[in-house]
Amino acid sequence: MNLTFFDLEATGVDPASDRIIQIGIVSNDDAGILDGCEDYFEPAEFESLINPQRSIPAEVQELTGITDAMVATAPTFQDVAETVARRLLDKPLVGFGCHRFDVPLLAEEFERAGVEFDWPPVIDAGELFKIYEPRTLEAAVRFYCGRSHEGAHNALADATATRDVFLEQARRYTDLSGLTDHELAKKSRYDQEMADPAGKL
């Protein structure tokens, strides 16, 4: 199966308001590069920094290693939109966690650039990972404690299993032992942007 794999780095996590700062595309179709035929085929890999036309937040610069100086002379997404669209057409696309972020962000960027893009099938390897390696309490008990979770969905049994899983995590991941309770709470939070426990802000 010929597939195109892609990933985006961005100024933040909001597809509607943030901007791409880097795009990477890899194809598993090696017909893209043939000896002596480079004039007829595009390389199977494509990577470009993208000038988001705004400052990159410090935490994103630290996370990605991409600085404002690095993108200052890079093309804007408008400059590369047609090239990106051409490279993503015709083959199914594969990303990791792409349905929640990369696809919406890329769709917004294409729209802003005025480029119509007829999406091929999109396969999310991150979602497949969750399906085949479920992140449930039962799966955690099997993984960390090497046993089945008896009495699942009984509050006391689940609380006991959660205790066993957490204690095994603390034993296995030695960096956890040096953290305060507040640091542990922050580290364990998937969405760092929520301002209140209900996730309404």
Side-chain angles (χ1 to χ4, degrees), residues 55-172:
S55 180
I56 301 172
E59 60 272 17
V60 174
Q61 292 187 48
E62 183 177 340
L63 178 68
T64 64
I66 300 171
T67 65
D68 287 331
M70 291 169 66
V71 300
T73 58
T76 65
F77 187 82
Q78 175 91 38
D79 295 332
V80 299
E82 294 284 355
T83 299
V84 169
R86 189 170 62 248
R87 288 176 180 274
L88 295 180
L89 282 175
D90 301 327
K91 289 186 280 189
L93 301 179
V94 183
F96 195 94
C98 62
H99 284 311
R100 293 180 182 214
F101 181 70
D102 301 77
V103 168
L105 176 60
L106 195 54
E108 291 281 348
E109 291 280 31
F110 278 136
E111 185 174 334
R112 282 189 285 268
V115 173
E116 290 190 19
F117 185 68
D118 188 15
W119 287 87
V122 178
I123 301 163
D124 192 325
E127 291 302 313
L128 290 176
F129 177 53
K130 292 175 186 174
I131 291 168
Y132 286 98
E133 301 294 339
R135 294 305 189 245
T136 62
L137 182 56
E138 291 87 346
V141 170
R142 277 194 303 274
F143 181 81
Y144 288 107
C145 305
R147 67 172 196 262
S148 61
H149 177 31
E150 302 299 332
H153 305 296
N154 170 280
L156 183 57
D158 285 355
T160 302
T162 301
R163 176 202 64 197
D164 296 345
V165 166
F166 177 73
L167 293 176
E168 178 58 23
Q169 288 173 329
R171 186 193 67 76
R172 184 176 297 204

